[in-house]
């Protein structure tokens, strides 16, 4: 088994930072003091409250198997605390018709005293080269700002939506689903949640969803020590069982009282459904909650069916829609060869990539059953008359990959050029997915 944490530090980025009197170094998970300093630097980078001893111990256990990297400045007043951090691990992401292992990149921070001198560039390019060395075809991250990662070849591939629902207007309009709701202690979902999530994630069309690691469940279920100053609204959980008593969905929520107590607002933290009945049962439960007049639901799909299940669709407002999961293609033939497509064709792709991983000419052939095979094209390309020809960047191809972005839109935006008639529309027909991709978590 590959020891991801032990792979040597990237020599190019090590040299680039050394030229600036900085040291790029792997953090040994067994070195408690180094891990603590790294966690403190990470929290500081995101303006989080300083973690207490209990929280540090829990976080240290959570990151123990990851590849943890720090940049140290021996001339800083506190030379033992990193001036930059990054953490990575391999994680599967669902793609149309299957899944793909990807290098998950997280905890990218640079201390405010050390920004804008190329440290993030050194960290990011090091991680991309490390992932490629490990044979991972894709890198991915969820981002704080949309301005940072395109320069490294990442493209936004999954968008998320936030909804505000006026529950005094949004009456349930569909038949009652078959099944039963149970109010449960959130901790019970440590056992009951993962199988439901696994089934929900395996549903056709659920592209863009990543693993939920053990630490993620603990955090989401309120089982990690809270950071100081975190407001203490009670987390509640509801589970939906099918008529055979098998859990098929659950929701996690908190209720915040209004200035005069009631009406209150319900903050939906998570809703996972492995069946349409579970989806309907859970939404109906939330919409009909007494003493609540509004639901706030962040991190949802851009196309939630619940809009079509209430009497007044205007009661449901999409108050936010933004990029969420960014993908970076490292091995283009593997990435394009792994997903299923919706229409056959031969696609000649001219891909530009400043960092070189996916740069060049490629031919993607999709058969009648939607299976794709991509190969680099070497020498003068002998294109058949009906080949679809497009030129685009590796980042924009990553945005198209899960079907959440339209090639026609990118062509109209001047980002994709068409070398044959209706090339973007034909690309869209092949890359189309039955549902927009959705990622329900941060990492
Ligand atoms: C984002 C962050 C890691 C960048 O670190 P940095 O070391 O200053 O970045 P670099 O000096 O390597 O800059 C690389 C490039 O990104 C640009 N850049 C960096 N941060 C940027 C930002 N927040 N917005 C826009 N551009 C940014 C730089 O201008 C530079 O551009 P160039 O390549 O065209 O010259 C740092 O600002 C930070 O820690 N922010 C707070 C935590 C955070 O948001 N992390 C990202 C989590 S997803």
């Amino acid at each position: 088994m590959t020891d991801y944490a032990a792979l040597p530090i990237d020599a190019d980025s090590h040299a680039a930072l050394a030229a600036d009197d900085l040291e790029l170094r792997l953090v040994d998970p067994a070195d408690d003091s180094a891990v603590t300093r790294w966690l403190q630097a990470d929290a500081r980078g995101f303006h989080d409250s300083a973690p207490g001893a209990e929280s540090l111990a829990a976080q240290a256990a959570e990151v123990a198997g990851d590849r943890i990297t720090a940049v140290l400045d021996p001339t800083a007043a506190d030379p033992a605390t990193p001036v930059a951090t990054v953490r990575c691990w391999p994680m599967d992401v669902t793609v149309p018709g299957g899944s793909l292992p990807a290098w998950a990149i997280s905890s990218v921070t640079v201390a405010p005293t050390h920004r804008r001198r190329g440290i993030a560039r050194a960290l990011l390019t090091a991680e991309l080269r490390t992932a490629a060395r490990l044979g991972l075809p894709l890198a991915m991250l969820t981002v704080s700002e949309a301005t940072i990662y395109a320069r490294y070849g990442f493209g936004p591939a999954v968008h998320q939506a936030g909804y505000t629902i006026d529950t005094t207007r949004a009456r349930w309009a569909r038949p009652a689903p078959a099944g039963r709701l149970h109010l449960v202690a959130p901790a019970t979902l440590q056992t009951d949640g993962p199988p439901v999530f696994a089934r929900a994630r395996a549903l056709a069309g659920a592209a863009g969803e990543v693993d939920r690691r053990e630490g993620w469940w603990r955090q989401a279920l309120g089982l990690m020590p809270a950071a100081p100053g975190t407001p203490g609204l009670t987390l509640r959980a509801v589970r939906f069982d099918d008529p055979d008593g098998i859990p098929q969905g659950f929701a996690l929520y908190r209720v915040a009282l209004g200035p005069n107590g009631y009406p209150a607002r319900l903050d939906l933290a998570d809703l996972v459904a492995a069946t349409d009945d579970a989806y309907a049962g859970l939404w109906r439960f939330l919409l009909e909650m007494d003493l609540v007049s509004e639901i706030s639901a962040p991190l949802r799909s851009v196309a939630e069916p619940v809009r079509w299940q209430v009497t007044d669709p205007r009661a449901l407002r999409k108050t936010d829609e933004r990029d969420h999961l960014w993908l970076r293609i490292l091995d283009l033939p593997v990435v394009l060869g792994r997903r299923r497509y919706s229409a056959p064709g031969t696609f000649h792709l001219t891909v530009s990539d400043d960092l070189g991983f996916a740069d060049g000419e490629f031919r993607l052939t999709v058969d009648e059953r939607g299976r794709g095979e991509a190969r680099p094209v070497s020498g003068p390309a002998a294109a058949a008359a009906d080949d679809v020809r497009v030129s685009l960047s590796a980042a924009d191809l990553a945005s198209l990959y899960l079907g959440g972005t339209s090639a026609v839109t990118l062509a109209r935006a001047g980002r994709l050029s068409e070398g044959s008639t209706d090339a973007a529309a034909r690309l869209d027909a092949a890359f189309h997915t039955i549902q927009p991709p959705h990622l329900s978590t941060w990492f």
Side-chain angles (χ1 to χ4, degrees), residues 214-241:
E214 228 180 290
W216 183 91
W217 284 102
R218 277 200 299 276
Q219 181 75 46
L221 298 174
L223 305 174
M224 293 281 267
T230 310
L233 293 178
T234 301
L235 180 70
R236 301 196 193 277
V238 58
R239 194 183 77 210
F240 181 93
D241 293 358

Side-chain angles (χ1 to χ4, degrees), residues 175-182 238-249 275-282 284-285:
R180 187 174 164 192
L181 292 156
H182 298 273
V238 58
R239 194 183 77 210
F240 181 93
D241 293 358
D242 66 19
D244 295 326
I246 298 170
Q248 297 292 3
T275 63
D276 288 343
D277 273 352
Y279 181 88
L282 291 166
R284 184 181 182 204
F285 167 85

Side-chain angles (χ1 to χ4, degrees), residues 122-359:
L123 292 176
L124 263 298
T125 54
E127 289 310 334
L128 295 180
R129 287 189 291 265
T130 299
R133 264 179 224 123
L134 288 164
L136 291 160
L138 204 59
M140 60 182 179
L141 31 75
T142 52
V143 306
S144 59
E145 289 185 89
T147 46
I148 304 171
Y149 295 104
R151 60 173 55 75
Y152 309 117
F154 287 85
V158 178
H159 285 71
Q160 53 142 314
Y163 297 86
T164 301
I165 306 171
D166 178 347
T167 59
T168 62
R169 290 168 62 194
R171 304 242 164 267
W172 186 254
R174 306 297 305 155
R180 187 174 164 192
L181 292 156
H182 298 273
L183 287 168
V184 295
T188 62
L189 292 173
Q190 244 186 325
T191 312
D192 293 334
V196 173
F197 175 71
R199 286 201 301 282
R201 192 181 169 208
L203 290 176
E209 194 70 87
V210 303
D211 297 340
R212 288 181 168 190
R213 307 204 302 167
E214 228 180 290
W216 183 91
W217 284 102
R218 277 200 299 276
Q219 181 75 46
L221 298 174
L223 305 174
M224 293 281 267
T230 310
L233 293 178
T234 301
L235 180 70
R236 301 196 193 277
V238 58
R239 194 183 77 210
F240 181 93
D241 293 358
D242 66 19
D244 295 326
I246 298 170
Q248 297 292 3
F250 60 87
L252 293 166
Y253 62 94
R254 295 178 176 84
V255 175
L257 298 188
N260 298 315
Y262 307 116
R265 187 192 70 238
L266 185 150
D267 295 332
L268 182 62
D270 196 19
L271 187 153
V272 174
T275 63
D276 288 343
D277 273 352
Y279 181 88
L282 291 166
W283 270 112
R284 184 181 182 204
F285 167 85
L286 297 168
L287 291 167
E288 294 181 349
M289 186 78 70
D290 284 340
L291 307 179
V292 166
S293 62
E294 186 178 286
I295 295 178
S296 159
L299 220 55
R300 302 299 311 167
S301 164
V302 296
E304 285 289 339
V306 67
R307 181 182 292 285
W308 300 88
Q309 295 176 305
V310 294
T311 49
D312 183 353
R314 289 192 192 176
L316 188 140
R317 281 182 302 126
K318 193 185 273 184
T319 38
D320 184 26
E321 183 168 330
R322 64 169 101 164
D323 55 282
H324 184 38
L325 179 71
W326 290 60
L327 296 181
R328 206 298 171 204
I329 297 173
L330 297 169
D331 186 332
L332 186 147
V334 170
V335 169
L336 292 190
R338 191 62 74 88
R339 64 154 285 182
R340 288 295 179 122
Y341 296 87
S342 296
T346 304
F347 303 89
H348 187 109
L349 311 172
T350 303
V351 182
S352 57
D353 182 352
D354 290 346
L355 297 179
F357 297 102
D359 201 58

